[in-house]
Amino acid sequence: MKDTVLRVIVTFIVFAGIYLLSGPMIGWTQYDMYLKGIEFLAAVTGAGCYWIGSNKR
């Protein structure tokens, strides 16, 4: 149970890190709805890859 809680916390940190850092990395200064959608989906994909990759089974 403790391992799962740690995985959840790290998954949220990975999601937040990718989502918050994707804007400065791209360097787009204007608001774009499609770009925000891509940033969100990239963060979800990255967090999901971490979640699947960190499974011990």
Side-chain angles (χ1 to χ4, degrees):
M1 181 67 180
K2 188 175 183 178
D3 186 47
T4 304
V5 172
L6 181 63
R7 283 179 61 210
V8 168
I9 292 170
V10 174
T11 301
F12 280 122
I13 292 171
V14 168
F15 174 83
I18 293 173
Y19 186 72
L20 294 174
L21 294 176
S22 63
M25 288 176 66
I26 293 171
W28 188 260
T29 57
Q30 297 175 349
Y31 180 81
D32 185 11
M33 181 177 71
Y34 297 117
L35 185 60
K36 284 296 179 185
I38 291 170
E39 290 175 0
F40 179 76
L41 290 176
V44 168
T45 303
C49 287
Y50 172 78
W51 179 260
I52 292 170
S54 66
N55 193 358
K56 302 276 190 222
R57 290 185 256 175

